[in-house]
Amino acid sequence: MKNILVTGGAGFIGSHTVIELAQAGYNPVILDNFSNSDPRILLGIEKILGRKPLFYKGDCLDDIFLSKIFSLYHFSGIIHFAAFKSVSESIKNPLLYWKNNIDSLLHILEIALKKNVSAFVFSSSATIYGEPNEVPISEVSPRKLATCAYGATKQAGEDILQNICTTPANKKILKGISLRYFNPVGAHPSGLIGELPLGIPQNLIPFVTQTAAKIRKELIIFGNDYPTPDGTCLRDYIHVVDLAKAHISALTFLLKDNAPQYDVFNIGNGKASSVLEVIHTFQKITNVSLPYRIGPRREGDVVSCYAEVSKAEKILNWKAEYTLENALRDAWNWQKNIPF
């Protein structure tokens, strides 16, 4: 059974990926410092898997801590989620994002090379495309100037990983893939794990579910004067379980002898949904009324962003299976059953 290190494995996407790794026959080992996650998510993972997950609390910037973990296991692969991820926060404090997101990646890559790790899957983002010239966005679409520090750190992270993996000295050691996520939403169908933002949510769906649960007074739509059919931004919403499965497909692909040194893949549904469409769909499937109002545009938001996903379907043999309705149903089920 191959050991896989999952940095940020107690987070939203990380926890779901841990489940899928275990169910695919891998042995996931979680590293997390809970800076943007909750330790009680580990209880949900345990209930789903029927056993306690392997977990170590610590920071990717702590070389002594990393050395300890790598002395206990030989890792065939690493899936690197650990990073700060708020667009709005990164606009307010860009230096924090550059220091944390890039330094943590460098520390993990350094020990990966030292310990002969074969495969590295990097958590990237569609924000690397900036404001796209056209949609849908394919992997050959130009990477434009990022609209926030978060997106800029993902661009830099991709460049670092590509350089490390394709440098001749490292070609026999490490291969890498960057997965460019669009908008992860939903929760595990069991209702035992899901998105658990600390403080005020920065993403649409948890704000929707918290408003429906009366935790929030109302939902604010940031602008309704965009050049879209209903005036609100268009996004590609991908169910978190589909996204988690994409990581297993990427990892399995990298561990093959004929895998390239480095590649990038869009991970999305390939469909555009507006903010208002999400709200109306949620109200329809849950029969819960959502109070909302229109606010000013939010800095850093692009008009339209959705994926061309045929490359992942062809090369990784991966395809999204869940619909927006499925994702909203699961997110609401999680919100109603959050055990704390």
Side-chain angles (χ1 to χ4, degrees), residues 119-323:
F120 196 101
V121 180
F122 177 62
S123 171
S124 190
S125 166
T127 56
I128 63 102
Y129 295 113
E131 183 74 66
N133 293 332
E134 59 183 10
V135 287
I137 302 167
S138 76
E139 289 84 353
V140 297
S141 296
R143 290 190 340 179
K144 301 177 72 175
L145 182 66
T147 57
C148 63
Y150 167 71
T153 65
K154 291 302 182 181
Q155 289 177 336
E158 287 193 7
D159 292 342
I160 290 167
L161 181 59
Q162 180 179 22
N163 179 266
I164 295 300
C165 290
T166 58
T167 296
N170 298 331
K171 279 190 175 182
K172 293 184 179 180
I173 304 174
L174 187 69
K175 296 179 179 181
I177 282 178
S178 293
L179 296 183
R180 295 170 176 173
Y181 314 156
F182 280 66
N183 288 68
V185 293
H188 196 271
S190 67
L192 293 170
I193 59 172
E195 189 167 8
L196 193 63
L198 303 180
I200 299 174
Q202 299 296 315
N203 298 324
L204 175 61
I205 304 306
F207 218 115
V208 165
T209 59
Q210 289 189 11
T211 303
K214 302 188 184 308
I215 297 171
R216 307 290 166 190
K217 180 180 177 181
E218 62 182 357
L219 175 68
I220 300 174
I221 296 175
F222 297 107
N224 68 341
D225 58 348
Y226 288 95
T228 62
D230 63 19
T232 62
C233 292
L234 294 170
R235 294 291 182 269
D236 183 332
Y237 296 98
I238 175 75
H239 196 294
V240 66
V241 172
D242 279 330
L243 178 55
K245 290 180 178 179
H247 290 80
I248 281 68
S249 296
L251 179 69
T252 302
F253 176 69
L254 277 178
L255 291 172
K256 294 179 180 178
D257 291 337
N258 61 346
Q261 285 300 125
Y262 178 78
D263 211 341
V264 299
F265 295 91
N266 286 341
I267 303 297
N269 246 315
K271 300 175 183 177
S273 300
S274 72
V275 175
L276 277 174
E277 183 182 350
V278 169
I279 291 172
H280 294 154
T281 302
F282 180 86
Q283 292 181 135
K284 180 180 178 180
I285 66 171
T286 64
N287 200 31
V288 175
S289 179
L290 278 178
Y292 66 87
R293 65 179 173 88
I294 306 300
R297 290 187 180 191
R298 182 173 58 179
E299 187 178 1
D301 281 345
V302 300
V303 178
S304 179
C305 184
Y306 61 99
E308 211 307 310
V309 292
S310 60
K311 182 179 177 182
E313 293 176 0
K314 180 180 179 181
I315 297 177
L316 298 183
N317 195 29
W318 170 90
K319 186 174 183 179
E321 299 175 356
Y322 290 89
T323 64

Side-chain angles (χ1 to χ4, degrees), residues 31 58-72 107 111 114:
L31 182 163
D59 199 297
C60 294
L61 299 174
D62 185 340
D63 290 330
I64 295 175
F65 170 70
L66 290 179
S67 295
K68 178 182 176 181
I69 293 179
F70 275 81
S71 70
L72 298 174
H107 280 249
I111 198 164
K114 189 181 300 183

